[in-house]
Amino acid sequence: MRNYATANHPGGRPRQCDATAVHTAPTGARAYVLLDGIGREQSVRDWTRTAARRLARAAAHRADAEAGLRRIYNGYAANPDRQGPWGYGPKACALVAVTAPGKPLTVAWSGDVRAYLLTNGVLRRLTQDHNLRRVYPPNDMYPEGGNRNVVTSCLGSANTDQDVKNLHGHAAIESTPVHVVPSRLLLASDGAYEPHEDAGHHLSNYLIGTPAEAATDFVQTAISRANAAHPDRPDWTDNATALVADLTP
């Protein structure tokens, strides 16, 4: 039986531009990937699906999330069409988690996709958003802070770590190692986690059952909440995608 499952919903968008991929290397290292495509065009949808598969293979064969993400990030960034202030090409927020025999879980990201780990009933967020709300946190004068829908880094950008640090105070790619005991991993696009967050939901309540049941419940509840928040503007409901995996050391 597979230890993981994904669920997605296009929301009010004309097509699903999120993508997931899972790849296992001969060494036993496995990469779980979620990309949140930026835009609604068919070209974004097609590119994001290909990029997700490329990232999963690169990360699994390197047995490390950051090494895999940097390999794919740098490859796209080197394209001349993506250089300069008017750089062209599809982009996506990117998240990858890698398990490997005898190694800690590694997680790497570029954008505002999130990873959570549920261990013994306690949910821990592993990532920090790459968006303007992180750069300009809520305060007394501006309770909502910066615009959370404006990302500050993403796969497909040609910006270096230093470029992004100079602009926004964080690297283009961030990563973290995590000691794993039997746990449940959640990868989620902003269309999946934001409606839960806005409603004050305890995310662990939606991670019950098999991975397939949990992923489906997490996404369907997010879409229902988003639609209820904007009943007159269903087109505002974003793509929502979740990947749930049960991990063992």
Side-chain angles (χ1 to χ4, degrees):
M1 176 180 289
R2 291 197 319 184
N3 72 317
Y4 67 91
T6 63
N8 60 61
H9 193 289
R13 303 294 174 88
R15 58 186 55 86
Q16 176 59 263
C17 290
D18 295 349
T20 59
V22 177
H23 185 82
T24 305
T27 60
R30 174 174 286 179
Y32 304 93
V33 167
L34 189 150
L35 298 189
D36 182 353
I38 299 173
R40 308 179 178 206
E41 298 80 13
Q42 182 73 31
S43 59
V44 175
R45 173 185 179 272
D46 295 344
W47 178 85
T48 302
R49 291 184 174 192
T50 299
R53 293 191 295 268
R54 292 187 65 197
L55 176 53
R57 289 194 298 269
H61 285 279
R62 287 164 177 77
D64 183 83
E66 181 177 356
L69 181 52
R70 287 196 179 279
R71 169 69 175 178
I72 301 304
Y73 184 102
N74 291 340
Y76 286 121
N79 187 323
D81 290 340
R82 295 181 182 271
Q83 303 297 317
W86 309 111
Y88 169 80
K91 298 177 175 65
C93 297
L95 174 62
V96 55
V98 175
T99 59
K103 294 184 178 182
L105 170 73
T106 57
V107 178
W109 68 97
S110 182
D112 62 353
V113 276
R114 289 185 183 176
Y116 295 85
L117 200 64
L118 180 65
T119 307
N120 295 325
V122 178
L123 189 70
R124 177 169 42 139
R125 181 172 149 192
L126 306 179
T127 56
Q128 298 184 63
D129 299 337
H130 290 180
N131 61 21
L132 285 184
R133 183 165 293 180
R134 174 179 174 183
V135 179
Y136 304 108
N139 55 46
D140 291 340
M141 186 172 294
Y142 301 102
E144 294 200 0
N147 187 342
R148 67 183 180 184
N149 295 315
V150 177
V151 298
T152 49
S153 71
C154 61
L155 183 66
S157 168
N159 288 335
T160 66
D161 278 334
Q162 195 59 54
D163 291 336
V164 179
K165 284 180 180 178
N166 291 343
L167 287 168
H168 304 299
H170 63 77
I173 294 171
E174 291 188 292
S175 65
T176 185
V178 184
H179 176 68
V180 174
V181 295
S183 304
R184 173 159 283 187
L185 175 72
L186 167 68
L187 309 184
S189 67
D190 62 347
Y193 69 74
E194 282 182 356
H196 285 287
E197 189 172 73
D198 291 347
H201 293 166
H202 294 288
L203 301 188
S204 56
N205 293 341
Y206 302 91
L207 296 176
I208 298 169
T210 66
E213 290 168 339
T216 299
D217 189 25
F218 195 91
V219 166
Q220 293 293 343
T221 304
I223 290 294
S224 296
R225 175 68 181 87
N227 286 337
H230 304 286
D232 299 326
R233 292 301 306 269
D235 58 310
W236 284 9
T237 302
D238 197 0
N239 293 167
T241 300
L243 186 156
V244 175
D246 287 333
L247 308 182
T248 55

